Each structure stands twice: as C-alpha cells, then as structure tokens.
Amino acid sequence: MPDYKAPLRDMRFLIDHVFDFHGHYAGLGATDASPDMVGAILEEGAKFCENVLSPLNRSGDEEGCHFDNGVVTTPKGFKEAFAQYVEGGWHGVAADPAYGGQGLPSSLGLVLSEMIGSSNTSWGMYPGLTHGAMSAIHAHGSQAQKDTYLTKLTAGQWTGTMCLTEAHCGTDLGIIKTRAVPQANGSYALTGSKIFISAGEHDMSENIIHLVLAKLPDAPAGTKGISLFIVPKFLPESGERNGVSCGSIEHKMGIKASATCVLNFDGAEGYLIGEANKGLNCMFTMMNHARLGTGMQGLCNGEASFQGAVKYANDRLQMRSLTGPKAPDKAADPIIVHPDVRRMLLTMKAFNEGNRALAYFTAQLLDTAHLSADPDQRQEAEDLLAFLTPICKAFMTETGLEVTNHGMQVFGGHGFIREWGMEQLVRDCRIAPIYEGTNGIQALDLLGRKVLGSQGKLLRGFTKIVHKFCAANAEHPQLKVQVAKLNQLNQQWGELTAKVGMAAMKNPDEVGAAALDYLMYSGYIILGYLWLRMALVAQAQIDNGSGDPDYARGKLATCEFYFKRLLPRTATHRAAVEAGSECLMSLPAELFAL
Amino acid sequence: MPDYKAPLRDMRFLIDHVFDFHGHYAGLGATDASPDMVGAILEEGAKFCENVLSPLNRSGDEEGCHFDNGVVTTPKGFKEAFAQYVEGGWHGVAADPAYGGQGLPSSLGLVLSEMIGSSNTSWGMYPGLTHGAMSAIHAHGSQAQKDTYLTKLTAGQWTGTMCLTEAHCGTDLGIIKTRAVPQANGSYALTGSKIFISAGEHDMSENIIHLVLAKLPDAPAGTKGISLFIVPKFLPESGERNGVSCGSIEHKMGIKASATCVLNFDGAEGYLIGEANKGLNCMFTMMNHARLGTGMQGLCNGEASFQGAVKYANDRLQMRSLTGPKAPDKAADPIIVHPDVRRMLLTMKAFNEGNRALAYFTAQLLDTAHLSADPDQRQEAEDLLAFLTPICKAFMTETGLEVTNHGMQVFGGHGFIREWGMEQLVRDCRIAPIYEGTNGIQALDLLGRKVLGSQGKLLRGFTKIVHKFCAANAEHPQLKVQVAKLNQLNQQWGELTAKVGMAAMKNPDEVGAAALDYLMYSGYIILGYLWLRMALVAQAQIDNGSGDPDYARGKLATCEFYFKRLLPRTATHRAAVEAGSECLMSLPAELFAL
C-alpha cells in the first residue's frame, strides 16, 4: 500500500492563499477557527491519519468484515482506531457545542475528512454515516431527541446510519415498502427490510442509531408519503434491544472493511423525526453535505493513488528515454522520463488538485450558507451550492475513478497485484459514482432540477463569477491565453444550455439524453476556472518572491497541462449534448439484444 | 452472474454477410472450413461455453487458485472442463494436422476463443497460453522438438506457458537476468526467476512446457542477447521432474481462477529453440496473434457485461419515464426507458459490435497472411496486420473496460455486489490494458514503429481502403452523411500523422506524448469504417427484404448512435495529440510531488 502522507502543502496553498480560509472564517465570525486551530487540525489530523488509519487500510481490505448470526465484527484494529479518534476529540470537530462538539465550520470538518478518506476510505464510512445522522437529528429533531441522541453521537459513544434503500428501490424511494404503525405510547412500530446500510451493524460503539425512511399506514403514494424515524439498536431508556437486526452483510468489490448491511426491522420501536410525510425533505437538507462528501471520495482515492504512482514512477527502471539515457549509470531510466507515463501522472495531478480546489471552494459555501449573518449572502451561497453539489459528487467521482485507474496502469502488471495496494483504490473508488445518488441521477438533478428548473438562474450565478474573473484577468501577462479560452467556454456554456433548454421544452427526454455529458462538460469548465485561480496565485508568488518557487512552478505546469490536454474534452461532451435524444430513444427496448 | 449466451446472430451477421468468411475461406483454399464446419463450430462451441464454462465463471472467481508447497490446484470444475474441452476436440481446432490438429483457419479459432473468453476469461487463459507456446514451437522449433512437443500439446495432454517477465522487468526485456548455461549434452541449464507466468503451474495436464527467455553466458547486452528455450516441467524422455518450481501464486484484482505464478528455475534443463540471441524475434512472430487475443478480452468481458446489463435494464423497475409512464400497470418503469441508461447500453453495444467487427476483420488478415498463395496478398495482409494489431490490443481493451464499467453502473448499487457478477467483469477486464504489452507500449509501437517507422506507408495501406469505401458510397441514400464524416476524418488522420511526424523529427518525445491519444483517435475512425460496413449490409437487407428487419434496424440505430455520440471523441484525442510534448516534459521529475 502506498503510505499516505497528507498533502499539507497543497491543502495549505488553498487554505492560506487561494481561498483565504482565515479571512473567510473571520468574516463569518467563526473565531474558533483561528489560524492556530486550522494549523493544529491539519498537523494533528495528518498524524492520526498517517499513523493510525493508513496502516489499517490494506489489512482491512484483506480481512473484510465478519458476520456471525447477526453480529458484525470489523477488521482488526478498526475498533481501537475509532476509540483513539474519539479520544482525540476528532469526532465532534464540526459538531454543535450545545451537544459537546467543537463547533468548527463545516469546511474544516471536510479538510479533516479528506485526510481520513485518503488514508482509509472504509474506516471513514463509520464516522461519516454518524455525521449524516447527527445532521438529520440536529436539523429536524425535537429538543428531547437532540438531548437524547446528539450528545452521545457527538461523543462517539453511539454511531448512526441512514436507512433508505430497499431491495426493489434505491433511486425511486417513492416505492419503499417499510411501514411504520403508530403505537399507543406515541412511538411507531417499524417493519420492513433495508439493504446497503453502511455501518448498519458493527462492534465500534455501544449503540447504533438508525434513521429510517418508512411509510405511515395512511401515507399518500410516492415520495410525498415518506416519513423519517429514529430507530435505536438499543432503546435509550430501558437499554433493551430493539426489534432491528442485521440479516447479512454484502460481499462487495471494494470498501470491504465497511460493513454494508441488510437490516431487518421487525416491529422495531421508532420515533418520528420532523413532520409526518416530509421524510424525504428532511433527507434533502443533508444532501449537499453528503454528496460533497461522496465526491470527496474521488479525490481521496485519487490522492492516495497519485502518491503511490509518483513514487513508483521515480523508482521503477524500465527502458531508456527516447531522447537519450537519463540515468546512464543504471540499467534503465526511471519510467517518469517517458511522456506517456507523465501523461498519466499529470492527469492524476491535475484532477486531484483541481478537485481539491472544487471541494474547498464548495465547502466555503457550506460555511457561508450556515453561518453568514447576511440573508442575501446565505441565499447566494445556497444557490451556488445547489448548482455545484451534483457536479462535485459526479465529476469528482468520475475523474477520481479515472485517476485511480491511471495510478494502477503506471504500475504495469504490479498494479494488478493486491500487495501493492493500487488496485484496492480502484475497487474502493468504484462505488463512488454509484452511491449517494448515481452520477446519472446527479446529472438529472443538475440539468433538470437546478439549471433548467431555475430557468438558468443557478447557472448564471456561477458563469457570472467566471465572467468577472476573466474580465479582471484578460490582460494577465502569463495567463491571458488560458483566460481567453475559459471566457470562450464560459459563453459557450450558456449557449449550450439555452439550446438544451429549448429542445427540452418540446421533449423532456432531451434532458436525460444530455444530462451526464452536460455535467461533465460543466465540471471541466469549473475546474478550468479553479486551475486559473491557482495559477494566478502561483504566478504572483513567483513574481513576488514569496512562497516556494518550485511548488509554484508545479502549479503553473499542471495548469498548462490541464488547459492543453484535459479541458479539450469539453468538445466531445458538447458534441454528445448536441447529439440530442433521438439516437438514444429510437431503438425499441426489445431490439437492444436479439 | 449473467448467463452467457453466445451472440450467434451477431457473429453470423459478420461471418455470413459483412465479411463473407465462406468466400474468404474458399479463396484461400481452406476447404475444411466449409459453411457446415463453421456452423458446427458456432453451434457446438456455443453449447460448450454456455453449459460448461459459464457456470464455472463466478465460482472460479470466488474460490480462486490454491497454492500449497509448490502445488497449484485450480478451482472446482476447471480440470474437468478442460478434459471435456480436450475430449470434444476443441483444443486442436486451429492446430496443424501434422500434429493432430484440425487445421482450421486462425479466424475460426478466434471465433471460438471469443465464446470461451466471454463465458470464462480465467479458464480461457490455460488453453490460450498453450496455443501461444504451440505457435512458438511450430514457427521456430526443430522437427524433433515439434515431434516431441506439438503432438502432446495439440492433444491437450500437455499445456504450455510463455515465461518472459521478471520482477525487475516486463516491458524492458533487454535487462532480464535469467541465465542459460550450455551443457555437455547440448542442453542448457537455466537459472533465474520469472514472475506473472499465467498457467505456470496447475493440475489440468500431465506436463507443462515452459517457453523461457534467458541469456547465454556470452550474450550481447540488451534485446539482441535474448534466447528462447523449451523447459518442460517433466523431462519428456525420462519423465523426471525438471528443476523448475512454482514459488507462489499472485493475489490479484481479477482473473483469479487463472494461476499467475512465480516460477523458479534452478539449473533446469532447457533446449534452445530457434537461433541463439534471436529469442525476442521468435516472440515477435507470435505477437500479432497474442495481442489480438488480448484485445479480444475487451470484447469478451464487454459482451458478458452487456448481456447482464440489457436484461437488468428491462427487468429493474425504477422511476417513471420523463415523457410519461411506459409501464403504468407496474410500480415503476423498467429503467431502459431512461435516456441515460440507454446512453450506457448503446455505448456498450456500439463498442462490442464494433470491436467484434474489428477482431473478425483482423482475423481474416491473419488467415490471409498464413494461407494465401499470392505473396503480394500475403504482404499486404502482413502490413495491415502490423498496423491493426496494436490498435486491436489497446483500443479494444480500453473500450472494453469502459463497457464493463457501464454495465456495472446500469446495475446501480447491485453492480458493486459480487453476487451479481457485474463487478467481476470489471476486475477481470482490468488486466487487459496492462498485459501483453501495456496500452502505452502498443501506442508507441503503432505510432513510432509502425506508422512513422514506415514513413506513413502502413497507415496509408488502411486509409486507402477507407478512401475507396467512402468514394464508392458517397451517394448512399441513407448513409451518405456518415460516409462524408468518415471521409473527412480519414483525411484528417493523414494530416494529423504528418504533423506528429514533423514534430517527432525534431524531438522524439513527441511520439510518446502523442502515442496513446493517436491510437485511440485511430481506433475510433476504424470503428467508424466498420460500423458503416455493417450499416450498409443492414440497409441492403432492409431494402432487399432479406434477413431480419428488426435486427438490421438495431444495427442502423447503433451505427447512428456511434457516429453521433462516440465518434466525436476523435476531437478530444486530436487536441491531445496536437498539444505536443512540452506540457508533459517541462516539469522536472522531482517537482511532481512535494
């Protein structure tokens, strides 16, 4: 396994310079997130992830989770690492101080989660799901529910889950079958079966608090008849075991150390959270955070893969450079001399650093939406978040999967061997384009609900930013060519959107036909904008003599690579968007295979 | 696991109509390959693969191979299936009748191997490697060597391997360390260690014949000092165990039922095959066949994945069509109504059927190169083969991997669960872009050695065919738009090549920088040509009222999809080729990660 080293320099480049987290926190009155605190989270978080989580990554994959008669045991070391994490105070970093959290902004929680996910994706699922459950209870629970559950969850004494999917439905939650029947004592009896429940059963915590979507007896059909319930594994008052049990765990392609459970609810006692029949709305309020978190997985696995690939490309000796030997004293040159190996490494680097910028940019919007005193600023942040979230989720996971595949390819045959750990990153990453809403669903959300649903307003909220940026930097001595390219694409983006919008008015299938390519097209332009923001800072550092010139040079070279070799992919995605729906829909379903 | 059904209709469409295998065989005097024989191979081969091999595919993946103190046991049922395969006479279908084979043309062997690889890739490795060893002995062995080894190998009594890679070198065979010391009796004593040896040790055959690359004591440095040796596991005369043993087997991402062995040669007795120091040349003569075979893996895994995905997309009910319910009597519509699901399915279908056409087209060239009485025709076929082989290997495996990933995605969360078998196809396919020369190496072979190395002659050999085709069909009533598009790309292909060639004269790194994208660009154009050939036949069938109009309609719709949604990817690859090497080479190696 590549030993994970937190890329603190790149993280700091974004935090300190490109996005000025310190000014951002000060502006939001988030005084606890002082530069010292940010530094401590980075330094100490890195140590924990490098020293505790990273060493458990490959062993966790090899061992997997154990299921025995309803009891799930996590791989060796996982439980102890969780105890250490809780003891170190990491679990409540971004949680509400009213329930024992440190109250730091979401963006700092995200920075920490990047390091966790990069060092051990499977392990990170356990606290990750708990944070999701905490958000739901915090946003929608009664005060009594908060008092009962949030304190224990924040302390890491209990963990949480999100129980949505059933065997016959994942995307289409309107047709779930789990039922909740009101009881005399005000609680509900839940009966049904949920699948794909991450952290649904395990040995890391005293209690597990399930948040469960179910239907009341008189519920309207479809998504408007879904309610959300708290169903604890052990009832908080009596300590009795509740009627929920783990029927089995899944055998999966990757994230094998994350227990993916079938949970059977057999008249389990549950408590309504939020309003009846508004359960899906409760879920949606957490969606931005959860989807950004899933997008992060593309970055996390990609970063780990890049670290392994760069090291290997410098160590592995194979063939001579076509321009003459570069290591004449050795049997062959290190493979990093070969242009095609560099193509793979630079693609990885450009996506990882670009995706990190996208994630941090979006995380600042989360902070602003939560913390700003100015309602207009909050609304603006909410709008940008609504627009960017599906792109973060889908673009970062599509490109992250590409990155992990390149990392494996750099290793040649050794990449296919488990021992090296590179193929695990591909397997772990492969779930990210699927779960938390498939990328196809993200794309429909972006183009249908967000962009066309707002008559283009949410898109314009972003293109306006890019337009201003391009106008301000149109004469930049070193970067004006790229600025002009970005400006051109930014205009084309609006035109393409208008074209799809017109077509969609005649035929709603045009939205579905264009959606995934539209999302990818958008993602490439957004990353172009973010790469230029990074390049501007790097160029300024070189001009000023501040910062590390070598590091800045790497940024500029990668930006150049991005504009020359990756941004042109927009042409293909645009052509696919323009191709329209007919070539997808004309063939009757029964003629696909004969 | 999706139950494999041989796509006989599509195979016959190519064999009977598009490529007229019957006329092709008659023209080459391959009278044994009569239409009846072709039919029997298809029908009976399909039965064997569907009924014997396909049921062992997932169990083989789950069980894997066992290693115990040098002994390798293949998964349950593998040995018996091999015995059945041998008993059915399949092993010698394309082998020389002088040694007990049936002597059918290579292309028929390839058709059979498609069905084998689609139903069970891992199992197919064992006979596949044996065929490789047989070709080497047939082409380069002495008569005595042929007599000793070929008869038993053809009969499937013994199996074979190819031992090239060592721990420190795979691509760069010039630096192998295995040594061969001449012995008094004319044999050689081989000492060294080989890795990644597929079928290196197993329980399926009485004896295993290793073909081993090694260096003589006085060998020149580099690739010109490599010799090829036959090293049997048991010495044929005495029956004694030779000094070769299996040190371990690899734990891999996929093809887990294929034993990938470390083989230790400890003064093992070996026999020089071909000339001393010409071992790599011996290997190269088999390369076309082996690389086409590896390219097939992309098609094989892709076909299996498509079969699973189409079935699931018709069965799985989820959400309503955006244009209104299509199955109003059910809880939701089958997901094949959604444009984005169709995008994935049609991408799979277009690549699979296009790749099958590419493979069969190339296989006919193999036949011609072997069997034609006309030396000019042989040379022309050899030239086209030299050009097409790296494209078959790399393009078919890159797109095949994409196809298996789409197939998994169609299944949503279930795609990630091992039980469904879709993720196995991704894992199995993932090795194909790596082994038998990485796709990066294929790309260098294509652009550097083949295209630029022939001053463009090998490219022109193909573009001429496309040019004639476009001229002949420029006025085709239904297809002229696509013909014009193909013609335009065909011209651009030559121009782009000239541009790279000019740049490469100044800087050899331009070749490496352009190579992979150039190969993919070429592959898309070639598939465009082949899709039009299929569409022409389909349109003619509709016009004539021959054939099945539904099937022909599927072909035309998929061709349309290919031209609208996949062929535009050429734009991106061209842009990457034109981007040049500087943006890859400017960053010093030590600045890739800081």
Side-chain angles (χ1 to χ4, degrees):
Chain A
M1 198 68 203
D3 287 328
Y4 174 67
K5 289 284 163 206
L8 292 179
R9 193 191 286 243
D10 199 61
M11 296 166 82
R12 283 210 175 97
F13 179 76
L14 295 175
I15 290 172
D16 296 341
H17 302 294
V18 180
F19 298 128
D20 181 21
F21 272 45
H22 311 299
H24 161 76
Y25 291 146
L28 294 173
T31 47
D32 283 355
S34 65
D36 280 357
M37 175 59 86
V38 172
I41 298 263
L42 287 174
E43 296 290 337
E44 297 305 313
K47 275 186 212 161
F48 177 76
C49 293
E50 290 167 5
N51 301 331
V52 178
L53 298 184
S54 180
L56 299 175
N57 190 36
R58 209 178 95 72
S59 58
D61 178 65
E62 287 292 335
E63 185 185 341
C65 289
H66 308 277
F67 177 81
D68 181 22
N69 199 23
V71 175
V72 174
T73 313
T74 54
K76 195 161 173 288
F78 269 49
K79 187 177 168 170
E80 292 73 15
F82 189 72
Q84 221 176 315
Y85 171 79
V86 165
E87 205 175 286
W90 296 110
H91 199 266
V93 157
D96 188 343
Y99 307 97
Q102 279 189 71
L104 292 168
S106 293
S107 57
L108 258 189
L110 183 108
V111 165
L112 176 62
S113 79
E114 181 197 327
M115 297 190 281
I116 292 172
S118 300
S119 55
N120 196 323
T121 299
S122 282
W123 187 91
M125 302 283 290
Y126 299 89
L129 268 293
T130 303
H131 291 136
M134 285 161 63
S135 306
I137 296 171
H138 197 272
H140 304 287
S142 66
Q143 190 56 49
Q145 287 172 336
K146 292 186 198 181
D147 291 339
T148 304
Y149 297 102
L150 277 186
T151 315
K152 302 262 192 181
L153 287 167
T154 303
Q157 216 171 330
W158 297 354
T159 58
T161 76
M162 311 291 286
C163 303
L164 286 68
T165 303
E166 301 182 3
H168 68 293
C169 65
T171 299
D172 196 359
L173 293 171
I175 56 175
I176 59 168
K177 293 178 181 164
T178 299
R179 300 282 146 185
V181 178
Q183 304 296 297
N185 66 355
S187 73
Y188 294 79
L190 275 84
T191 301
S193 190
K194 296 284 181 180
I195 67 165
F196 298 165
I197 308 309
S198 299
E201 181 57 51
H202 57 80
D203 56 355
M204 285 164 140
S205 63
E206 293 168 13
N207 198 0
I208 301 175
I209 310 306
H210 305 293
L211 291 191
V212 186
L213 289 184
K215 295 202 150 199
L216 296 170
D218 58 351
T223 52
K224 288 177 181 153
I226 301 176
S227 305
L228 184 62
F229 299 87
I230 296 178
V231 181
K233 176 179 170 185
F234 294 102
L235 298 175
E237 283 180 28
S238 64
E240 271 175 39
R241 181 74 193 243
N242 201 354
V244 49
S245 60
C246 178
S248 61
I249 59 174
E250 304 290 351
H251 299 100
K252 311 186 297 294
M253 182 189 205
I255 53 165
K256 292 187 180 185
S258 165
T260 306
C261 304
V262 173
L263 286 187
N264 297 315
F265 296 86
D266 188 15
E269 186 163 319
Y271 318 106
L272 182 69
I273 172 168
E275 278 180 63
N277 299 327
K278 301 275 187 192
L280 217 53
N281 297 33
C282 297
M283 284 289 153
F284 273 119
T285 60
M286 293 164 299
M287 218 67 111
N288 285 341
H289 204 142
R291 290 185 166 179
L292 175 56
T294 304
M296 290 293 288
Q297 195 185 331
L299 165 60
C300 292
N301 297 143
E303 172 66 34
S305 186
F306 179 69
Q307 294 190 10
V310 166
K311 186 174 182 317
Y312 191 79
N314 276 297
D315 291 348
R316 175 76 171 177
L317 306 176
Q318 205 80 172
M319 309 298 282
R320 291 295 181 190
S321 163
L322 290 177
T323 58
K326 298 292 173 285
D329 53 321
K330 294 187 175 147
D333 288 336
I335 60 174
I336 200 168
V337 308
H338 304 307
D340 192 60
V341 172
R342 281 168 165 260
R343 175 186 62 82
M344 295 189 274
L345 292 174
L346 281 165
T347 301
M348 299 172 80
K349 186 172 164 68
F351 279 135
N352 285 343
E353 296 178 13
N355 283 338
R356 180 174 294 116
L358 175 56
Y360 288 18
F361 179 85
T362 308
Q364 282 196 327
L365 295 170
L366 270 180
D367 294 341
T368 305
H370 292 162
L371 303 175
S372 174
D374 176 353
D376 289 347
Q377 209 182 25
R378 281 205 308 273
Q379 186 58 49
E380 191 189 3
E382 286 286 5
D383 285 352
L384 282 167
L385 269 178
F387 175 72
L388 288 174
T389 298
I391 298 172
C392 287
K393 195 280 177 179
F395 184 83
M396 289 173 67
T397 58
E398 292 288 328
T399 54
L401 185 61
E402 179 181 337
V403 167
T404 57
N405 270 297
H406 287 310
M408 215 185 124
Q409 191 75 17
V410 167
F411 274 65
H414 298 278
F416 199 65
I417 308 300
R418 294 218 299 266
E419 189 184 348
W420 290 88
M422 298 301 284
E423 59 82 43
Q424 182 191 339
L425 296 169
V426 176
R427 288 187 289 103
D428 284 355
C429 197
R430 186 61 189 85
I431 189 59
I434 295 175
Y435 62 9
E436 198 55 40
T438 66
N439 286 356
I441 291 295
Q442 303 298 326
L444 273 179
D445 178 49
L446 174 70
L447 181 57
R449 242 167 58 95
K450 305 290 176 61
V451 173
L452 300 181
S454 73
Q455 278 81 45
K457 179 171 164 269
L458 293 191
L459 170 65
R460 285 192 300 275
F462 193 83
T463 53
K464 214 168 54 189
I465 294 174
V466 177
H467 179 74
K468 274 189 201 164
F469 174 85
C470 291
N473 296 288
E475 304 302 329
H476 191 285
Q478 290 86 4
L479 296 165
K480 62 186 169 194
V481 174
Q482 286 95 329
V483 171
K485 179 74 201 161
L486 176 65
N487 197 39
Q488 182 200 342
L489 282 170
N490 195 46
Q491 283 175 25
Q492 193 192 75
W493 198 4
E495 291 155 16
L496 185 65
T497 307
K499 214 181 283 184
V500 177
M502 295 289 279
M505 283 196 284
K506 289 188 211 146
N507 178 1
D509 271 343
E510 294 292 338
V511 179
L516 202 277
D517 283 283
Y518 180 86
L519 184 146
M520 294 303 291
Y521 172 85
S522 305
Y524 280 105
I525 297 175
I526 294 169
L527 239 61
Y529 161 69
L530 293 165
W531 261 112
L532 274 183
R533 287 195 56 179
M534 292 191 278
L536 279 178
V537 172
Q539 186 64 52
Q541 287 186 344
I542 287 174
D543 295 346
N544 303 339
S546 68
D548 176 345
D550 279 344
Y551 193 74
R553 196 173 154 198
K555 279 283 172 208
L556 289 169
T558 311
C559 179
E560 170 88 359
F561 172 84
Y562 182 82
F563 270 77
K564 282 209 165 156
R565 307 259 325 193
L566 298 179
L567 192 59
R569 294 185 184 182
T570 46
T572 290
H573 291 297
R574 190 189 57 185
V577 167
E578 289 175 341
S581 70
E582 206 203 327
C583 69
L584 296 175
M585 306 311 291
S586 68
L587 192 64
E590 61 276 17
L591 301 192
F592 270 69
L594 286 172
Chain B
M1 198 69 204
D3 286 329
Y4 174 68
K5 290 283 163 205
L8 292 179
R9 194 190 286 243
D10 200 60
M11 296 165 83
R12 283 211 175 98
F13 179 75
L14 295 176
I15 290 173
D16 295 341
H17 302 295
V18 180
F19 298 129
D20 181 22
F21 272 44
H22 311 298
H24 162 76
Y25 291 146
L28 294 173
T31 46
D32 282 355
S34 65
D36 280 356
M37 175 58 86
V38 173
I41 299 262
L42 286 174
E43 297 289 337
E44 298 304 314
K47 276 186 212 160
F48 177 76
C49 293
E50 291 167 4
N51 301 331
V52 179
L53 298 184
S54 179
L56 299 175
N57 190 38
R58 208 177 97 69
S59 58
D61 179 65
E62 287 292 334
E63 185 185 340
C65 290
H66 308 277
F67 176 82
D68 181 23
N69 199 24
V71 175
V72 174
T73 312
T74 54
K76 193 162 174 288
F78 268 49
K79 186 177 168 169
E80 292 74 14
F82 189 72
Q84 221 177 315
Y85 171 79
V86 166
E87 205 174 285
W90 296 109
H91 198 266
V93 157
D96 189 343
Y99 307 97
Q102 279 189 68
L104 292 168
S106 293
S107 56
L108 258 190
L110 184 107
V111 165
L112 177 62
S113 79
E114 181 198 326
M115 297 189 280
I116 294 172
S118 300
S119 55
N120 195 325
T121 298
S122 281
W123 186 91
M125 302 283 290
Y126 298 90
L129 268 294
T130 302
H131 290 136
M134 285 161 63
S135 306
I137 296 172
H138 197 272
H140 304 288
S142 66
Q143 190 57 49
Q145 287 172 335
K146 291 186 196 180
D147 291 338
T148 306
Y149 297 103
L150 277 186
T151 314
K152 302 261 192 183
L153 287 167
T154 304
Q157 215 171 333
W158 297 354
T159 58
T161 76
M162 311 291 286
C163 303
L164 286 68
T165 304
E166 301 183 3
H168 69 292
C169 65
T171 299
D172 196 358
L173 294 171
I175 56 175
I176 58 168
K177 293 178 180 164
T178 300
R179 300 282 147 187
V181 179
Q183 304 297 298
N185 66 355
S187 74
Y188 294 79
L190 276 83
T191 302
S193 189
K194 295 283 180 181
I195 67 165
F196 298 165
I197 309 308
S198 298
E201 181 58 49
H202 57 80
D203 55 356
M204 284 163 139
S205 64
E206 292 170 15
N207 198 359
I208 302 175
I209 310 306
H210 305 292
L211 291 191
V212 187
L213 290 183
K215 294 202 150 201
L216 295 170
D218 57 351
T223 52
K224 287 176 182 155
I226 301 176
S227 305
L228 183 62
F229 299 87
I230 296 178
V231 182
K233 176 179 169 185
F234 294 102
L235 298 175
E237 282 179 32
S238 64
E240 269 175 42
R241 181 73 194 242
N242 201 355
V244 49
S245 60
C246 178
S248 61
I249 59 174
E250 304 289 351
H251 300 100
K252 311 187 297 294
M253 183 190 204
I255 52 165
K256 293 187 178 184
S258 165
T260 305
C261 304
V262 172
L263 286 189
N264 297 316
F265 297 86
D266 188 15
E269 186 163 319
Y271 318 106
L272 183 68
I273 171 167
E275 278 180 63
N277 299 326
K278 301 273 186 196
L280 217 52
N281 298 31
C282 297
M283 285 288 152
F284 273 118
T285 60
M286 290 165 301
M287 218 67 110
N288 284 342
H289 205 141
R291 290 185 167 179
L292 175 56
T294 305
M296 290 293 288
Q297 196 186 331
L299 165 60
C300 293
N301 297 144
E303 172 66 33
S305 186
F306 179 69
Q307 295 191 9
V310 167
K311 186 174 181 318
Y312 192 79
N314 276 297
D315 291 349
R316 175 77 171 176
L317 307 175
Q318 206 80 172
M319 310 298 282
R320 291 295 180 191
S321 163
L322 291 177
T323 56
K326 298 291 174 284
D329 53 321
K330 294 186 175 148
D333 288 336
I335 62 174
I336 199 168
V337 308
H338 304 307
D340 192 60
V341 171
R342 282 168 165 260
R343 175 186 62 82
M344 295 188 275
L345 292 175
L346 282 165
T347 301
M348 298 172 81
K349 186 172 165 69
F351 279 135
N352 285 344
E353 295 178 14
N355 283 338
R356 180 174 295 116
L358 174 56
Y360 288 18
F361 179 84
T362 309
Q364 283 196 326
L365 296 170
L366 270 180
D367 294 341
T368 305
H370 292 164
L371 302 176
S372 174
D374 176 352
D376 289 348
Q377 208 182 25
R378 281 205 307 273
Q379 186 58 50
E380 191 188 2
E382 286 286 4
D383 284 352
L384 282 167
L385 269 178
F387 174 72
L388 288 174
T389 299
I391 298 172
C392 288
K393 196 281 178 178
F395 184 83
M396 289 173 67
T397 58
E398 292 287 329
T399 55
L401 185 60
E402 178 180 337
V403 167
T404 58
N405 270 297
H406 287 310
M408 212 184 128
Q409 191 75 16
V410 168
F411 274 67
H414 299 278
F416 198 64
I417 307 300
R418 296 217 299 265
E419 188 184 348
W420 290 88
M422 298 301 285
E423 60 83 43
Q424 181 191 339
L425 296 169
V426 176
R427 288 188 288 102
D428 284 355
C429 196
R430 186 61 189 86
I431 188 60
I434 295 175
Y435 63 8
E436 197 55 40
T438 65
N439 286 357
I441 291 297
Q442 303 299 327
L444 273 179
D445 179 49
L446 174 71
L447 181 57
R449 242 167 58 94
K450 305 291 176 61
V451 173
L452 300 181
S454 72
Q455 278 82 44
K457 177 169 164 271
L458 293 191
L459 170 67
R460 286 192 299 276
F462 193 83
T463 53
K464 214 168 54 189
I465 294 174
V466 177
H467 180 74
K468 274 189 200 163
F469 174 84
C470 291
N473 297 286
E475 304 302 328
H476 191 284
Q478 290 86 5
L479 296 165
K480 63 186 168 195
V481 173
Q482 286 96 327
V483 170
K485 179 74 203 163
L486 176 66
N487 196 40
Q488 182 200 341
L489 282 170
N490 195 47
Q491 283 176 28
Q492 193 193 76
W493 197 2
E495 291 155 16
L496 185 66
T497 307
K499 214 181 283 184
V500 177
M502 296 289 279
M505 283 195 283
K506 289 188 211 146
N507 178 1
D509 271 342
E510 294 292 340
V511 179
L516 202 276
D517 282 284
Y518 181 86
L519 184 146
M520 294 302 291
Y521 172 86
S522 305
Y524 280 106
I525 297 175
I526 294 168
L527 240 62
Y529 161 69
L530 293 165
W531 261 112
L532 274 183
R533 286 195 56 179
M534 292 191 278
L536 279 178
V537 173
Q539 186 64 53
Q541 288 187 343
I542 287 175
D543 295 346
N544 303 338
S546 68
D548 176 347
D550 279 346
Y551 193 74
R553 196 174 155 197
K555 277 284 171 206
L556 289 170
T558 311
C559 179
E560 169 88 0
F561 171 85
Y562 182 82
F563 270 77
K564 282 209 166 158
R565 308 258 326 193
L566 298 179
L567 192 60
R569 294 186 185 181
T570 46
T572 291
H573 290 298
R574 190 188 58 185
V577 167
E578 290 177 341
S581 71
E582 206 203 326
C583 69
L584 296 175
M585 305 311 292
S586 68
L587 192 65
E590 62 276 17
L591 301 192
F592 270 68
L594 285 171

